[in-house]
């Protein structure tokens, strides 16, 4: 009700000054969270945190997020975008009202800017060969088909029905995408911005804090591994300025914030066990190992690659199936 909304606004007004101070004093700690918040909040809420976003803004970090989104296959990104538009249109036709319709327009604007445009925010025209081919083939068709639907004045129920019809076509196209033969692809296929990145001229922190304190990204290796699972995630390799080589699984089409919270819980449990005398004597604190999870946006995130870790399917086959060894990847 109005009273609950008023209390929520009062809490928001009280929190904003604290967030702004954090953004100024420790920008790396809040930048990703603010990026999520700016997308999830309505125009009024986003305007309240705009000063904090500006205070911690880092052009290279924002470009890196957009480039990582581009590692996700464009046809799958299209399907996920139309799927979200359909949900929002159905919400607008129900209890969501004008606010849900506005979110639908915002989603379309984001999809148009970072999928259908031939120059993306932060990375410009360095969007990679696969994305450039997609734009060339689909830009005019999709803008003509979907743009007037979403941005026009048609009733929300008609919009939801029309989007549902387009969703079926997008789903079939996304399902047809397969991993390249050999499971590897040149990085320039998905992002020439990542391929051309030079740490000597551009500062970018190593994601997840897995390198030494003062290390930053030196460059990215020119080849990505494409996994054959449904979403075709990519393994991206970072070379840090301290000589460390770090592999990440770039997971597109997923919000990894819950994964990050689970890993944070495991890390806290390991600290508690290590601090307990009896548990420490039994080595329990050392047996609970974690890995970095870095949510970048509601559409993409990074998971630290754990070398030689067996995949779940291999473990299940070993325990319950054909008895083969659980080989690491």
């Amino acid at each position: 009700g109005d009273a609950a909304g008023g209390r929520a606004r009062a809490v928001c007004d009280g929190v904003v000054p604290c967030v702004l101070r954090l953004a100024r004093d420790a920008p790396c700690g809040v930048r990703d969270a603010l990026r999520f918040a700016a997308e999830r909040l309505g125009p009024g809420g986003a305007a309240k945190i705009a000063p904090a976003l500006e205070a911690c803004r880092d052009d290279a970090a924002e470009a890196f997020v957009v480039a990582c989104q581009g590692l996700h296959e464009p046809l799958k990104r299209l399907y996920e975008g139309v799927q979200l538009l359909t949900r929002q249109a159905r919400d607008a036709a129900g209890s969501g009202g004008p606010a849900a319709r506005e979110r639908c327009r915002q989603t379309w604007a984001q999809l148009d800017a970072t999928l259908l445009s031939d120059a993306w925010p932060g990375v410009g025209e360095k969007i990679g060969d696969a994305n450039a081919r997609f734009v060339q083939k689909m830009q005019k068709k999709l803008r003509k088909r979907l743009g007037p639907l979403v941005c026009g004045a048609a009733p929300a129920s008609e919009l939801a029905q029309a989007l549902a019809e387009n969703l079926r076509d997008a789903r079939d196209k996304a399902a047809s995408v397969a991993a390249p033969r050999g499971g590897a692809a040149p990085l320039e296929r998905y992002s020439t911005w990542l391929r051309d990145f030079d740490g000597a001229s551009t500062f970018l922190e190593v994601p997840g804090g897995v390198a030494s304190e003062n290390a930053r990204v030196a460059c990215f290796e020119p080849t990505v591994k494409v996994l054959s699972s449904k979403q075709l995630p990519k393994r991206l390799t970072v070379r840090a300025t301290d000589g460390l080589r770090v592999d990440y699984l770039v997971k597109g089409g997923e919000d990894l914030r819950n994964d990050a919270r689970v890993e944070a819980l495991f890390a806290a449990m390991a600290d508690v066990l290590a601090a307990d005398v009896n548990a420490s004597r039994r080595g329990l604190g050392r047996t609970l190992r974690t890995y970095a999870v870095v949510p970048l946006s509601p559409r993409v995130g990074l998971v630290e690659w754990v070398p030689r870790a067996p995949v779940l399917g291999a473990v299940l086959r070993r325990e319950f199936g054909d008895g083969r060894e659980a080989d690491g990847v």
Side-chain angles (χ1 to χ4, degrees), residues 39 41-43 101-111:
E39 291 201 27
L41 294 172
R101 186 62 181 261
E102 181 58 29
R103 284 195 296 272
C104 201
R105 294 189 181 98
Q106 291 173 353
T107 297
W108 167 252
Q110 189 276 331
L111 192 68

Side-chain angles (χ1 to χ4, degrees), residues 72-73 76 174-175 177-180 183 225-235 249-252 254 305 311:
H72 194 33
E73 301 293 336
K76 292 186 178 295
V177 183
K225 178 180 176 64
V226 185
L227 278 69
S228 59
S229 52
K230 181 181 177 181
Q231 290 291 76
L232 301 180
K234 313 299 187 295
R235 185 180 72 184
L249 187 66
V250 183
K251 302 192 73 173
E254 297 189 45
W305 189 275
V311 297

Side-chain angles (χ1 to χ4, degrees), residues 244-327:
L244 190 66
R245 180 181 180 273
V246 188
D247 293 329
Y248 296 94
L249 187 66
V250 183
K251 302 192 73 173
E254 297 189 45
D255 183 341
L256 296 184
R257 284 179 294 177
N258 283 341
D259 302 70
R261 293 186 186 109
V262 170
E263 287 303 309
L265 174 62
F266 287 160
M269 291 168 60
D271 290 341
V272 170
L273 290 170
D276 182 83
V277 176
N278 292 327
S280 181
R281 187 180 298 120
R282 296 164 60 190
L284 296 181
R286 296 190 300 273
T287 60
L288 192 57
R289 298 179 59 188
T290 61
Y291 51 85
V293 178
V294 188
L296 296 174
S297 83
R299 292 168 298 283
V300 69
L302 308 177
V303 177
E304 181 185 1
W305 189 275
V306 182
R308 298 176 297 281
V311 297
L312 179 59
V315 173
L316 294 177
R317 285 196 301 271
R318 183 189 64 189
E319 297 295 329
F320 306 106
D322 55 19
R324 287 182 292 176
E325 288 296 315
D327 296 328

